[in-house]
Structures are given as C-alpha cells and as structure tokens.
Amino acid sequence: MMNKKELINETKPLIETTVTANREHKDKVFRLLFNNKKNLMDLYNALNKSNYTNEKDFTINTLDNAIFMSMKNDISFIVGSDMCLYEHQSTVCPNMPLRGLFYISELYKRIKEEKRLYSSTLIDIPTPYYIVFYNGIKNMEDITIQRLSDAFLNKNKKYEAISIAIDECIKQNILSDFLKKHRAEVVNMSIFEYDEEEAKEVFREDGRIEGMLQAKTMDILELLEDIGEISQPLKNKICSQTDVDILRKWLKAAAKSSSLEEFESLMVK
C-alpha cells in the first residue's frame, strides 16, 4: 500500500495534465451573492461607512453583455448620485482600469441613451466608483490603487514608431491627404486594434497556469502538514510563489523531506 508521498509522486503527471481551474465559479458566486439587494446594501454600507436601510434605494444595472470581449461585468448599481461597479478577481490583472473604462462607458450609454448627447443642455451623470475585490494566492496589499494613466501612450514607444511611420508616408506622398486628415484615427486603430482570438487564448492560458499553480501549492502544503506544523511565513512564501518550475521543485523536495527544516534547506538549493 502506497503512503501519501508515494501516491503524489505516482500521480504527478496526471495532476499536471488534468487539473484545470474554473475561472468563473468564484465570479458566479460573487454575482449571485450581491445580486441580492440586501447583501449589496450591506457591502456598500461597509465600504462607504454609510447607513442605508432601504433596499429600494439601490438600482442594479449589471451589464448582461459588455462590449469588451463579450464579457459580463460582475455587479453594477446606482445609489443616490453614485454609480458603483464591483468586480471579483482571483488573479492580478493590470488592465482592470481599462476594462472598467469600457464598462462605465457602456453603462452611461444605456442609462442615458434617451438623452440628446449634442444638446446644449448639460447631461447629469452619476459619479462612477470602480472597485475590484481580489482573493487570489498572490500576496497583495490590503488596498491597491491602479490608474488608467499607467497605460497611457506617453510611456509606450509604440506610439512614437507609428507616428514616425505616418510622417514618413506623408513625406513620401503616400496617402498624404488621407493621413493628414485622419491621423488620430489611424494611430488609434494601429495601436488598439483588437484580436479577440488572441485575447481569448491569453485568458485560456492564464486559467491553465492558475490551475497548475493552485494544484501544486495545495500538494506541497498537504505533504508538509504530514511532517509538522507549517509556520505562517513558510505558508505565505509557498502560496505567493507564481513560478511553476519552482513549485515543481518544492513539491519534489516536500516528498523527500522528513522534517520542515529539511524541506526549507532544500528550497534554497
């Protein structure tokens, strides 16, 4: 009869090839939980130190089908003069501000579509608040601020390259009249042209990697629990590791170790 260490070693190829993460199940739970107005009101009050007691003050306007990659946003609602968007993520994504911009724009279009955009009268719009709740395995600060300005093109050489190419075309009289008239549109189309299939593949790959990381992390922790009580610093170090190769090395070390001290010594080799 195999012991636990031998069993994990025997099934290791199976773990690596079959374990995948359902990236949607946590988001579905989040949406289900806070589509309830009572729960949503409690969450809003906790975040804003407010004291709303009437659920009817909250109007849920979650997007059924947002414009970005046919994605749905998790929860959005209007209360008073605020329009709040709450998202759940189990992985760190630096592009959340841009995604939030798309969501907010689409919500404004829907709630103000009957208004005249080119009217001489100012259109009042609710103030947007975009908050992402994160509960992945990578350690993060309790509160992190991501700014859309971090992605602006003045930090990106791609803009400069495209601009130089346009200038050269105008100089060589190649589509010069068109480029002079539509320069901004050409730059935007060149930089922001969206490849949906490529983006979906990125998300699929992210899901596979996340599933592998979580599986190996749990296997390491289970092995170590059999040989001693894991200190919180050691547990944090294991859970925050995002390199699959390193986790694979640690898994082998955990299977060989007879004590936590021996495992920690093997970690640094």
Side-chain angles (χ1 to χ4, degrees):
M1 181 175 180
M2 293 183 180
N3 62 35
K4 195 169 188 179
K5 294 181 181 178
E6 292 172 334
L7 181 60
I8 287 181
N9 283 332
E10 285 292 320
T11 60
K12 177 186 155 188
L14 181 62
I15 292 174
E16 290 186 0
T17 57
T18 62
V19 172
T20 57
N22 181 350
R23 293 171 58 85
E24 295 184 358
H25 78 278
K26 292 180 182 178
D27 293 337
K28 289 178 179 177
V29 171
F30 184 87
R31 287 195 295 267
L32 181 63
L33 179 63
F34 294 111
N35 262 315
N36 178 292
K37 286 190 176 183
K38 172 63 168 61
N39 295 335
L40 187 60
M41 181 177 68
D42 290 343
L43 178 60
Y44 180 86
N45 283 337
L47 289 173
N48 297 277
K49 298 181 180 179
S50 53
N51 55 0
Y52 280 92
T53 57
N54 190 350
E55 300 169 20
K56 294 182 179 180
D57 292 332
F58 290 74
T59 301
I60 296 177
N61 62 347
T62 303
L63 296 175
D64 294 327
N65 195 359
I67 58 174
F68 183 64
M69 292 185 298
S70 302
M71 289 175 62
K72 300 177 182 179
N73 76 313
D74 287 341
I75 296 292
S76 55
F77 61 96
I78 294 176
V79 55
S81 60
D82 296 346
M83 182 173 73
C84 301
L85 291 86
Y86 293 166
E87 291 286 312
H88 169 264
Q89 288 284 300
S90 58
T91 55
V92 179
C93 178
N95 298 309
M96 294 308 293
L98 184 58
R99 288 168 59 175
L101 175 64
F102 291 154
Y103 294 145
I104 291 167
S105 298
E106 184 68 10
L107 286 167
Y108 278 151
K109 284 170 58 179
R110 296 189 182 192
I111 65 176
K112 294 296 182 181
E113 60 184 357
E114 76 281 2
K115 302 290 185 179
R116 294 182 177 273
L117 187 60
Y118 301 100
S119 167
S120 59
T121 303
L122 180 67
I123 300 175
D124 294 326
I125 57 176
T127 303
Y129 294 92
Y130 185 48
I131 298 175
V132 179
F133 297 88
Y134 167 75
N135 71 337
I137 61 175
K138 181 177 180 180
N139 286 341
M140 296 289 290
E141 297 292 332
D142 289 342
I143 299 177
T144 300
I145 297 176
Q146 293 180 323
R147 294 180 173 84
L148 183 63
S149 59
D150 292 339
F152 285 174
L153 288 172
N154 58 356
K155 299 180 180 179
N156 195 325
K157 292 183 179 179
K158 189 172 182 181
Y159 176 84
E160 183 181 351
I162 294 172
S163 184
I164 292 173
I166 293 175
D167 288 340
E168 186 62 23
C169 287
I170 293 174
K171 182 179 178 180
Q172 298 294 329
N173 199 29
I174 301 172
L175 297 174
S176 57
D177 291 340
F178 173 81
L179 292 173
K180 288 177 183 177
K181 184 177 181 180
H182 299 286
R183 185 186 188 99
E185 293 93 331
V186 172
V187 170
N188 287 337
M189 289 176 65
S190 299
I191 293 174
F192 297 116
E193 184 176 2
Y194 171 63
D195 187 333
E196 182 173 359
E197 286 306 313
E198 180 181 350
K200 286 181 177 179
E201 179 58 31
V202 170
F203 285 139
R204 284 194 290 267
E205 183 62 25
D206 282 350
R208 288 193 290 268
I209 293 174
E210 182 187 358
M212 190 177 297
L213 289 173
Q214 291 179 344
K216 290 190 179 301
T217 298
M218 293 304 299
D219 287 341
I220 293 169
L221 293 176
E222 286 182 9
L223 281 173
L224 295 181
E225 286 171 354
D226 285 346
I227 59 177
E229 184 176 349
I230 309 171
S231 66
Q232 193 60 47
L234 178 57
K235 183 177 291 187
N236 291 341
K237 184 175 182 179
I238 295 170
C239 291
S240 62
Q241 181 56 249
T242 58
D243 188 313
V244 175
D245 291 333
I246 293 177
L247 286 174
R248 186 180 292 114
K249 171 188 168 185
W250 290 353
L251 180 59
K252 291 179 179 178
K256 295 176 181 178
S257 300
S258 57
S259 68
L260 292 176
E261 291 76 13
E262 181 182 359
F263 171 74
E264 290 188 83
S265 67
L266 291 174
M267 288 178 76
V268 297
K269 289 184 179 180

